[in-house]
Amino acid sequence: MKNKTLYILAISAAVMIALGSCKKDLAKTNIDPDHIDGAQVDPNFLLTTVQLSYTGSSTPGGSSWSTKWGGVGCFVQHVASTGGFYYGDKYQNNTGGMGAFFQDSYTVTVQPAVELYQLTLSKPQYKNLHQMARIMKAMIFEQLTDLYGDIPYSQAGLGYYSHIYTPVYDKQQDIYNDLLKEVSQATDSLDDAADHPTGDVIYSQSGNQIAEWKMFGNSLLLRMAMRLTKVDPATAQKYVKQVIGKTMASNDDNGIIQHIQSSNALTANQDAAQIFSQDSTDIRLSSTLVSNMKKNADPRLPVVAWIAYGVTGDDPDNLVFPSFTDSTATAQIGLPPGYIIGGLSPATNLLIVAKDSLPDQVLGGYSRISNNLLSLSAPSLILTYAETELLLADASLRWGIGGDAQTHFKNGVEAAINQYSAYGDFPTISDDAADNYYQSFVNNYGSVNLSQVNMQYWLASLMDEYESWSNWRRSGDMPHLKPTNYPGNVTGGTIPRRLNYPVSQKNTNLANYNKAVANLTGGDRITSRVWWDVAK
């Protein structure tokens, strides 16, 4: 991990030097910027940018805060809040917060991904780099379309090349068909005899970079295929069969982007940078998560949760935080979703939680995400062996393909626990603890079922909130989360199914926006469903 951190520092410095060099070169030469063909810049550095930007907005106060945690993390009940900003806890309207990810992605992530794709297209010296560009580009667009539905895809990011400034919104079905094709072809085209991209912060330090990318591509293809569980099971099964035996084989193959403590927004962990660099009294781990982990004696609870306390010194205005923390499992208390404390909004002053039922530290006494997971240098796990094995267990249970469901479930459960070693050595979860946790399911429930598989996926995807919400919707609403019904909510007391488009699209791309909204049953609402999320 230390070597990987040093590698990221070196790459970051190289990116800054290269950018400065490019500016100097362009200032000295008479080159039409519309004809830049990659000769002036090493596209390896763009791969670094694409991978880092995928993990979260580098815009201060951007989508990592306002969309990921303000909305989606609350939708899927990993976290809860009594604060008004966290609209997802009570299904309130916040078009700006929900649209932030759309705006950030097209500005910060899509543009460099398309640029990388274009600069490496039909260039033999960048054969593998181009395939990695295709895979990362597909991964970016999958996340976008999963959250919003129809989005600009085929024409997105091409303003520089094709002077297209108002891109059409492609239908999600068409997008998925192309994503599956792109990832399949790109993965099959990776060639160990060709280039080994140096800008790759995920696998370039692996002993077998190209083999790792093949497993990554096939695991992503599995995830994309399983999105079609409800809407197109035949296509889903086709691609599941295609990747059997080719996906990640252990946690050593996990797609991990290691961050560093840095003032550079791209290299720092944006969850920590935007939300948790200060003590937040607004967001806590939900009672749904904590109670489930307690119920099943989940060994991850002391790793992901803590109750933090501040102590005032001689100066009554000087609160030292955190002065000490308690991460023991028995001490953890989750905040119930949809609750407020008396005296806060709404104007009705609705008192849902009586003050005498609160922890001694009031809101401070509820569990928060621990600094094991939330620090500027904490890694982002973007695609994992655990998720892959649980998806294979799901496919086996549904369709009888992909191998033995119980074996995949065991692999997925134990890998999801052991993957926390990526966050550091303390506290340590032993292999025995992981095995005992799995055995408790065998003893208590017998044979595995779909509900158990997707409950474990929900647990394994903590910190990857977009993926957790997407899998919850595609799986048939598993685990079965109890929705809140806060006064004034905009969903009729149901968990949201998609995000609103940003208001800015009405100003900059109105005609195409209107066409996309017309394709949504119910319009641009968070109760409307994306194409693959059919009601069953």
Side-chain angles (χ1 to χ4, degrees):
M1 190 65 72
K2 181 179 179 181
N3 289 339
K4 192 167 187 178
T5 300
L6 293 173
Y7 172 70
I8 293 172
L9 281 168
I11 284 289
S12 301
V15 171
M16 298 304 294
I17 293 170
L19 291 175
S21 177
C22 287
K23 289 180 180 178
K24 293 177 183 178
D25 290 343
L26 289 173
K28 294 178 181 179
T29 56
N30 186 22
I31 297 176
D32 183 348
D34 287 343
H35 291 86
I36 291 177
D37 60 3
Q40 296 88 5
V41 63
D42 183 350
N44 276 281
F45 297 136
L46 269 178
L47 178 60
T48 308
T49 299
V50 169
Q51 291 175 339
L52 291 173
S53 65
Y54 176 81
T55 64
S57 166
S58 59
T59 306
S63 59
S64 288
W65 179 35
S66 58
T67 309
K68 182 177 180 181
W69 295 106
V72 174
C74 293
F75 294 165
V76 81
Q77 294 183 16
H78 280 160
V79 291
S81 176
T82 61
F85 174 80
Y86 293 89
Y87 55 91
D89 183 69
K90 301 169 183 65
Y91 318 148
Q92 296 172 316
N93 188 41
N94 190 325
T95 304
M98 284 183 269
F101 180 80
F102 187 105
Q103 295 183 147
D104 285 344
S105 293
Y106 280 102
T107 302
V108 178
T109 313
V110 169
Q111 193 279 327
V114 173
E115 183 79 4
L116 177 61
Y117 178 93
Q118 294 290 338
L119 288 178
T120 56
L121 182 63
S122 301
K123 292 183 173 63
Q125 70 272 34
Y126 298 131
K127 179 180 179 180
N128 284 329
L129 181 56
H130 182 66
Q131 308 315 322
M132 294 175 192
R134 294 172 76 184
I135 293 169
M136 287 303 305
K137 177 171 166 280
M139 194 173 188
I140 290 163
F141 277 111
E142 181 206 22
Q143 194 173 69
L144 263 167
T145 189
D146 284 348
L147 298 181
Y148 296 95
D150 296 354
I151 56 168
Y153 174 67
S154 60
Q155 296 179 348
L158 293 175
Y160 183 79
Y161 289 91
S162 304
H163 305 290
I164 298 172
Y165 305 114
T166 54
V168 299
Y169 282 61
D170 296 275
K171 292 183 181 299
Q172 188 178 59
Q173 182 175 5
D174 297 334
I175 294 171
Y176 253 90
N177 287 337
D178 197 62
L179 293 178
L180 291 164
K181 182 257 308 175
E182 279 291 290
V183 175
S184 179
Q185 290 182 356
T187 303
D188 288 344
S189 298
L190 288 164
D191 182 1
D192 193 53
D195 59 304
H196 287 62
T198 57
D200 171 23
V201 299
I202 304 176
Y203 293 122
S204 65
Q205 292 184 298
S206 165
N208 200 335
Q209 181 188 23
I210 305 306
E212 292 288 358
W213 267 97
K214 282 182 173 289
M215 286 188 284
F216 183 92
N218 282 311
S219 298
L220 178 61
L221 193 60
L222 170 67
R223 187 168 82 181
M224 289 178 170
M226 291 300 289
R227 285 289 195 270
L228 311 187
T229 296
K230 295 190 292 185
V231 70
D232 189 357
T235 298
Q237 291 176 64
K238 169 190 168 183
Y239 282 100
V240 171
K241 291 175 182 177
Q242 178 178 317
V243 303
I244 291 172
K246 301 176 183 178
T247 56
M248 294 177 179
S250 74
N251 276 341
D252 291 339
D253 306 318
N254 285 347
I256 301 176
I257 294 177
Q258 177 63 52
H259 300 288
I260 57 175
Q261 189 163 344
S262 166
S263 59
N264 185 330
L266 270 178
T267 57
N269 182 297
Q270 284 301 303
D271 292 328
Q274 293 187 27
I275 313 169
F276 298 101
S277 57
Q278 303 293 327
D279 173 38
S280 171
T281 59
D282 293 331
I283 188 171
R284 293 291 183 265
L285 287 169
S286 81
S287 59
T288 312
L289 181 77
V290 173
S291 62
N292 177 276
M293 298 181 90
K294 279 189 168 184
K295 173 185 175 183
N296 293 298
D298 195 320
R300 288 168 288 194
L301 185 55
V303 179
V304 305
W306 67 2
I307 292 177
Y309 301 93
V311 175
T312 301
D314 295 334
D315 181 357
D317 295 324
N318 181 23
L319 181 68
V320 180
F321 183 89
S323 300
F324 62 95
T325 60
D326 189 344
S327 62
T328 58
T330 55
Q332 304 313 309
I333 306 173
L335 177 66
Y339 280 40
I340 65 165
I341 306 301
L344 298 183
S345 60
T348 56
N349 192 28
L350 182 64
L351 183 63
I352 300 178
V353 180
K355 289 184 182 296
D356 60 3
S357 70
L358 293 171
D360 292 340
Q361 297 290 319
V362 196
L363 282 176
Y366 286 110
S367 299
R368 66 192 78 203
I369 303 173
S370 79
N371 275 10
N372 294 310
L373 280 64
L374 278 172
S375 69
L376 292 176
S377 58
S380 292
L381 279 64
I382 62 172
L383 186 64
T384 68
Y385 170 63
E387 293 170 341
T388 301
E389 285 296 297
L390 291 169
L391 287 174
L392 287 170
D394 187 303
S396 178
L397 288 169
R398 288 180 193 273
W399 305 310
I401 61 175
D404 178 63
Q406 194 76 37
T407 300
H408 286 305
F409 180 68
K410 181 179 189 295
N411 292 342
V413 168
E414 295 186 355
I417 293 173
N418 292 328
Q419 72 187 19
Y420 279 92
S421 63
Y423 293 95
D425 297 330
F426 178 82
T428 299
I429 303 177
S430 68
D431 290 341
D432 286 344
D435 184 63
N436 290 339
Y437 179 72
Y438 165 73
Q439 290 298 331
S440 71
F441 278 89
V442 176
N443 296 336
N444 293 332
Y445 305 109
S447 298
V448 64
N449 58 46
L450 284 172
S451 180
Q452 292 169 19
V453 168
N454 287 288
M455 169 63 83
Q456 291 302 312
Y457 199 99
W458 177 75
L459 290 166
S461 53
L462 175 65
M463 305 308 295
D464 192 354
E465 303 308 293
Y466 299 138
E467 175 57 27
S468 191
W469 187 42
S470 291
N471 188 71
W472 176 80
R473 289 176 290 154
R474 77 94 205 160
S475 67
D477 302 354
M478 290 185 277
H480 299 296
L481 304 176
K482 182 180 179 180
T484 64
N485 197 7
Y486 187 78
N489 74 81
V490 296
T491 69
T494 61
I495 297 174
R497 311 301 300 194
R498 63 176 291 275
L499 299 178
N500 290 130
Y501 295 124
V503 175
S504 61
Q505 285 294 287
K506 297 179 182 179
N507 300 323
T508 61
N509 198 8
L510 180 61
N512 290 317
Y513 164 82
N514 284 337
K515 291 177 183 177
V517 171
N519 289 331
L520 286 166
T521 301
D524 187 13
R525 299 177 183 274
I526 60 176
T527 50
S528 299
R529 291 173 179 254
V530 301
W531 164 73
W532 52 253
D533 183 22
V534 296
K536 285 192 174 183

